[in-house]
Amino acid sequence: MCSSDLADLPGVCSPAPGGPLDVAPGPVHGVVWQEDEGGRGLAQVLIGIGTAGMLIPGNKTATIYADLTAWTPKIPAPRSERVDWWKAHHDPIRFESLLGGPPLDREEAAALVALAGPDIVGSANAVMRRVRAEDRVAIVRVALGTRDDGRLELLAHLVVSLGEPTSGERLASVLALLPEDDQAAGRGLLTGEWRYLGDVLRAPEAERESALERVLTGPPAPGEAEAIVRAFEEPGPALTLLLPKVAPGDRLPLLTDVSERQSFDDQRLTLLDGREDLLAQADLAAIGRLVDTYTFDEGKRKAVDRILAVTPGPKRGPVLRLGVEKMSFDDARLELLDAWPAEAHALSKADKQAVLGAFVFKEEEARARLR
């Protein structure tokens, strides 16, 4: 099947169904979208065929669905001695020697990768060294299709043999196989722009911190630092290494992004340890975004307490007002005012009005604390 089967829409064909594995096309997921009555059709179609897939990039809001209703396999199915041997023996140590002899065509290469199982990284990289450069993207799609998760990490291992995709369609055909949250990172890996991330993901999990410390010689690319931190189960050490390398204006946004991705407020509070200078220099809007990452009033109040403790005196009033406004319940607002009585009394008239306006039921109690 190729793109001309769908109204000449631009796309990337993968190995055809009925190849060495003699596997029928899988379920088709596709949408076709027409920009306007007379406009050219665009589409996004991902077709699971035997050994790979096909993607036609387009508008994700498409609403007209395309379904594959029938297919005709090659009769008889082509045979491959290499594929038969790999099925029978599956010996990774002898796999490289198996690839000697005639060059691999795309179908045979894809079949070998589809059968690789746990040996997918070594097998896919070995296969890509034995196929034409223009066929490597299809092999990467096959490899990614063997995994339900961990695809970004797998891609990091495969780009060393891939080289840059030769067109936007080829790049998009790989990115479509990644979860949406990983697609920016996938693009950075494919283009080679996010080299630090690739080095981290290729390291075993227990060695990722030392790998990052070793390779991080300059500032990461825009957006790369957030992706690197997500590669760590415990983000603190990676954040400590990355913060000095990013631009000063990006440091608190990076901390905020990491805080937002934590599951519990106690984990978020831990991220503030040792970062007093960063918190003291933060502007009010940035502090508000950081406090918004906390789920419960108790966590918000503790975070505001720690920020107020390092905030220069003239800025404390606005930060206290902000903290009161961020709380969900009046009791938490009163607790915050009780914790900082001198600052509450010293609030400007405008800040006092804003504080009182944040209360729902206990405005009079708040007013007494501000006198």
Side-chain angles (χ1 to χ4, degrees):
M1 173 174 285
C2 66
S3 59
S4 61
D5 294 327
L6 288 167
D8 290 321
L9 301 173
V12 179
C13 292
S14 289
L21 294 182
D22 194 26
V23 177
V28 172
H29 169 68
V31 286
V32 180
W33 176 73
Q34 198 73 22
E35 187 172 8
D36 54 48
E37 288 294 329
R40 186 179 182 187
L42 300 176
Q44 178 165 344
V45 179
L46 182 62
I47 300 176
I49 56 178
T51 54
M54 169 178 160
L55 174 88
I56 300 178
N59 191 308
K60 289 189 176 182
T61 61
T63 55
I64 304 173
Y65 287 80
D67 295 302
L68 181 65
T69 56
W71 71 290
T72 303
K74 297 175 182 177
I75 302 174
R79 297 297 300 273
S80 163
E81 292 184 3
R82 290 184 177 109
V83 171
D84 289 343
W85 184 93
W86 190 223
K87 284 180 178 179
H89 302 286
H90 204 87
D91 183 352
I93 296 175
R94 296 174 60 190
F95 187 71
E96 286 271 8
S97 61
L98 172 68
L99 302 183
L104 294 172
D105 66 30
R106 187 167 58 170
E107 278 293 339
E108 188 177 30
L112 292 169
V113 172
L115 295 168
D119 309 307
I120 187 67
V121 171
S123 301
N125 278 323
V127 163
M128 279 195 284
R129 292 192 290 268
R130 294 282 292 125
V131 298
R132 299 178 304 167
E134 57 266 34
D135 289 339
R136 291 173 188 161
V137 170
I139 302 308
V140 169
R141 293 203 302 273
V142 174
L144 294 178
T146 66
R147 291 280 184 90
D148 291 327
D149 52 25
R151 290 184 175 186
L152 184 65
E153 181 179 336
L154 176 56
L155 180 61
H157 285 279
L158 300 183
V159 293
V160 297
S161 300
L162 173 62
E164 289 191 22
T166 57
S167 68
E169 288 84 3
R170 288 178 180 274
L171 186 147
S173 73
V174 176
L175 296 181
L177 296 174
L178 299 177
E180 189 171 351
D181 284 351
D182 288 340
Q183 290 190 6
R187 182 178 295 276
L189 292 173
L190 288 166
T191 60
E193 295 172 5
W194 289 15
R195 59 188 183 91
Y196 295 136
L197 176 63
D199 289 333
V200 168
L201 289 175
R202 285 188 287 271
E205 287 192 23
E207 300 173 19
R208 285 182 177 175
E209 182 181 345
S210 58
L212 178 60
E213 187 173 13
R214 183 175 63 254
V215 303
L216 192 62
T217 56
E224 184 180 15
E226 290 86 347
I228 291 172
V229 176
R230 290 199 293 272
F232 289 81
E233 184 174 348
E234 168 50 54
L239 191 60
T240 298
L241 292 170
L242 286 162
L243 281 173
K245 298 293 185 181
V246 301
D250 294 333
R251 289 171 186 169
L252 195 61
L254 174 59
L255 175 62
T256 300
D257 179 83
V258 176
S259 181
E260 188 172 24
R261 292 178 180 275
Q262 304 310 298
S263 300
F264 304 104
D265 283 351
D266 285 347
Q267 295 171 322
R268 297 182 176 99
L269 288 167
T270 300
L271 295 175
L272 304 183
D273 293 342
R275 301 196 166 97
E276 289 80 6
D277 289 347
L278 179 58
L279 297 174
Q281 299 166 15
D283 61 44
L284 203 60
I287 291 172
R289 288 190 289 271
L290 178 61
V291 174
D292 281 339
T293 66
Y294 287 76
T295 305
F296 300 108
D297 275 358
E298 182 181 3
K300 292 178 183 179
R301 188 179 60 77
K302 289 180 179 179
V304 173
D305 282 341
R306 295 182 67 168
I307 295 168
L308 279 167
V310 299
T311 298
K315 291 174 57 179
R316 285 186 178 178
V319 172
L320 177 60
R321 184 204 75 210
L322 175 72
V324 170
E325 291 174 331
K326 292 296 182 181
M327 299 299 159
S328 299
F329 298 99
D330 283 354
D331 285 343
R333 296 183 179 103
L334 291 173
E335 288 176 8
L336 187 58
L337 293 177
D338 287 340
W340 299 90
E343 286 74 13
H345 295 155
L347 286 172
S348 68
K349 183 177 180 180
D351 283 339
K352 285 183 178 180
Q353 286 301 117
V355 165
L356 292 173
F359 282 81
V360 181
F361 302 110
K362 299 186 178 183
E363 182 180 340
E364 287 305 315
E365 294 180 46
R367 193 181 301 277
R369 287 162 169 80
L370 297 179
R371 293 193 184 103

